[in-house]
Amino acid sequence: MQLLKNSVGRKILMAITGQLMVLFVIVHLIGNSSIFVGPDGINSYAEHLHSLGPLVWVFRLAMLAFILVHAFYGIQVSIENSKANPSKYAINNKLKANFASESMIWTGLLLALFVIYHISHFTLRLTSDVSAFAGQVPGNVFGMVTGSFSHGIIASTYVAAMVVLCLHLFHGIQSFFQTMGWNGDKSLPVISQVGRVLAFVFLIGYSSIPVFILAGIIK
């Protein structure tokens, strides 16, 4: 509880939950990439997840808890930082900031909205484009995904969400090491570059799926 009573503790908790979600993004990308193998690849992956039974939902609930904690303290820390920065330091702060760091609160909120849509879309299958697959668990996941991403607006929505994810992680990964005190003057540029590369890998990896399906490469 003492950890939550000061801004440093809250930042550490926010950083840890953020990186746990980054690990999930990595695992999720590896699993989703099985669609490039063909129907058997992603359908087998989905069947394996389904065979885990309640463990999958325990994991999902844990991820939801991480998201809520990360979002709550992210908003709180942003408000605290805004109040703590005197106007006379505004110019100096602007020189050190960039678009990714200044828009963290907004990219985070957009990602939260996307997560709600994504769960409603492919997990709960509530949207009209996948309603025919609602009674099939896991069912023909390949057919569901390719059918959905054949709609330009849906494919574009996912690509746009991955651009937002890239922006969020562009600063977020670097911020994690700074918050934990694991960076120095020499290592910070390297950490920043690695974070940016990883963010772009996520952007390309995730976006390639709807783009390839929309282009007819995956069908």
Side-chain angles (χ1 to χ4, degrees):
M1 293 304 295
Q2 292 296 323
L3 190 69
L4 307 180
K5 292 182 178 180
N6 61 82
S7 60
V8 175
R10 290 191 288 269
K11 287 179 180 178
I12 290 174
L13 190 57
M14 186 177 68
I16 292 174
T17 53
Q19 291 312 302
L20 287 172
M21 287 186 286
V22 169
L23 292 176
F24 168 75
V25 169
I26 294 173
V27 174
H28 196 50
L29 177 58
I30 294 172
N32 286 0
S33 296
S34 62
I35 195 170
F36 292 105
V37 178
D40 290 341
I42 195 166
N43 286 345
S44 297
Y45 169 65
E47 184 62 43
H48 175 69
L49 289 181
H50 182 65
S51 68
L52 298 177
L55 288 177
V56 175
W57 278 103
V58 169
F59 181 76
R60 286 170 177 166
L61 291 174
M63 290 307 304
L64 176 61
F66 295 153
I67 291 172
L68 292 175
V69 170
H70 187 77
F72 178 79
Y73 289 115
I75 294 172
Q76 191 174 58
V77 168
S78 295
I79 293 173
E80 290 175 351
N81 288 342
S82 178
K83 291 180 178 179
N85 286 334
S87 58
K88 65 180 180 179
Y89 294 123
I91 295 177
N92 291 333
N93 288 335
K94 291 293 183 182
L95 289 174
K96 295 179 181 179
N98 54 48
F99 178 76
S101 63
E102 290 186 320
S103 60
M104 287 292 285
I105 186 70
W106 304 113
T107 54
L109 290 173
L110 287 174
L111 286 173
L113 292 175
F114 171 72
V115 168
I116 294 173
Y117 167 69
H118 181 56
I119 293 174
S120 300
H121 189 199
F122 285 141
T123 302
L124 301 179
R125 306 178 185 184
L126 300 177
T127 58
S128 59
D129 59 297
V130 295
S131 58
F133 298 89
Q136 307 172 24
V137 181
N140 182 14
V141 175
F142 181 86
M144 177 180 67
V145 173
T146 53
S148 183
F149 284 153
S150 64
H151 301 284
I153 186 65
I154 297 176
S156 299
T157 298
Y158 271 79
V159 172
M162 294 307 100
V163 172
V164 174
L165 176 65
C166 180
L167 282 173
H168 197 73
L169 295 182
F170 198 81
H171 175 73
I173 295 175
Q174 167 196 324
S175 180
F176 167 74
F177 287 93
Q178 287 181 303
T179 299
M180 302 302 293
W182 296 343
N183 65 294
D185 292 337
K186 293 183 179 180
S187 61
L188 182 58
V190 177
I191 292 172
S192 299
Q193 191 62 29
V194 170
R196 291 168 184 170
V197 170
L198 191 57
F200 278 117
V201 168
F202 291 147
L203 171 61
I204 295 170
Y206 277 108
S207 296
S208 63
I209 297 174
V211 169
F212 278 27
I213 291 174
L214 190 62
I217 298 174
I218 299 177
K219 57 184 178 179

